[in-house]
Amino acid sequence: MAADELLHDIRDRIAKASRLAGRKPADTTLIAVSKTHPAEAIEPLLVAGQRDFGENRVQEAEEKWPALRARYPDVTLHLIGQLQSNKAADAVALFDVIHSVDRPSLVTALGKAMAAGKRPDCFLQVNIGDEPQKGGCAIADVPALLANAREAGLPIVGLMAIPPADVEPAPYFALLAKMARDLGLSGLSMGMSADYETAVTLGATHVRVGSALFGARAAA
Ligand SMILES: *Cc1c(COP(=O)(O)O)cnc(C)c1O
């Protein structure tokens, strides 16, 4: 399928999953995860009307997006990958939304970077499967990190998670949704190519879809 057909198919599936759950299609933002893909692969989606894009590396995004944005100024750029504190200022300058706030040292760095005035919306990333190799804040530490982030002036809009691979993701999505509800946060960044419909039925406000839109990525 061509890029615009894939896009319409995914939008249809999001709309169906929304209706199934009694939600509105417009309640979920589709983030097209364009990491590793060149501008030529991104352009057809821009032409088809897609405006939310996700990248996982600051430097790669800095190389690709200024030129695209000059032509599509209404793009919303989401940082979905782990962020090093020494890249915080660059991330704040480039991105509109940061989904990977996961530790106090990063909160401090982002707070300093935002003192200049630009304040991208932020999600706290939760290590929802308690996996040692994965980024994200431990579940028990999320309330303290939220307080810390608010004190530092970060606009925290919700929670983000990547459930463990190869197991049914629904219980993890439901747990993240419950945590957000308990904390009074409305944003839920969850669901990728393999499971975004499930995530939508469980309340996702942002799904991050890469390979289903762009095809498989080259091995890292
Ligand atoms: C790469 C990535 C995605 C997209 O993954 P696909 O399975 O290709 O849809 C979503 N979220 C994060 C954090 C990623 O790094």
Side-chain angles (χ1 to χ4, degrees), residues 14-155:
I14 290 173
K16 284 201 185 94
S18 303
R19 273 183 229 112
L20 208 64
R23 306 180 64 217
K24 295 195 209 75
D27 294 342
T28 304
T29 298
L30 169 62
I31 301 172
V33 177
S34 49
K35 65 186 186 197
T36 78
H37 297 289
E40 305 82 73
I42 297 172
E43 181 105 33
L45 291 178
L46 285 161
V47 170
Q50 175 66 23
R51 286 297 179 268
D52 286 82
F53 288 86
E55 293 283 345
N56 68 337
R57 287 161 181 260
V58 175
Q59 195 184 330
E60 183 187 339
E62 279 171 339
E63 286 160 13
K64 286 193 315 207
W65 280 98
L68 287 167
R69 257 187 172 163
R71 285 184 297 130
Y72 299 93
D74 55 341
V75 157
T76 298
L77 212 50
H78 300 256
L79 178 63
I80 60 170
Q82 264 195 9
L83 177 57
Q84 292 168 343
S85 296
N86 64 6
K87 296 266 175 64
D90 294 340
V92 166
L94 183 65
F95 288 92
D96 304 294
V97 188
I98 297 174
H99 292 244
S100 48
V101 180
D102 65 353
R103 58 193 191 279
S105 58
L106 180 58
V107 164
T108 303
L110 286 169
K112 281 200 188 113
M114 289 186 197
K118 190 181 173 213
R119 294 180 186 277
D121 284 347
C122 293
F123 288 79
L124 298 182
Q125 183 177 350
V126 182
N127 188 349
I128 200 76
D130 194 22
E131 296 174 282
Q133 81 283 11
K134 248 190 204 159
C137 174
I139 289 174
D141 297 339
V142 170
L145 188 65
L146 176 60
N148 182 207
R150 285 187 168 145
E151 215 166 289
L154 274 57

Side-chain angles (χ1 to χ4, degrees), residues 33 35 56 80 160 162 192-193 208-211 217:
V33 177
K35 65 186 186 197
N56 68 337
I80 60 170
M160 179 274 221
I162 309 167
M192 318 201 321
S193 289
R208 310 177 307 264
V209 178
S211 42
R217 288 177 293 275

Side-chain angles (χ1 to χ4, degrees), residues 7-23:
L7 181 64
H8 290 132
D9 177 61
I10 290 170
R11 289 196 176 287
D12 273 354
R13 288 168 184 268
I14 290 173
K16 284 201 185 94
S18 303
R19 273 183 229 112
L20 208 64
R23 306 180 64 217

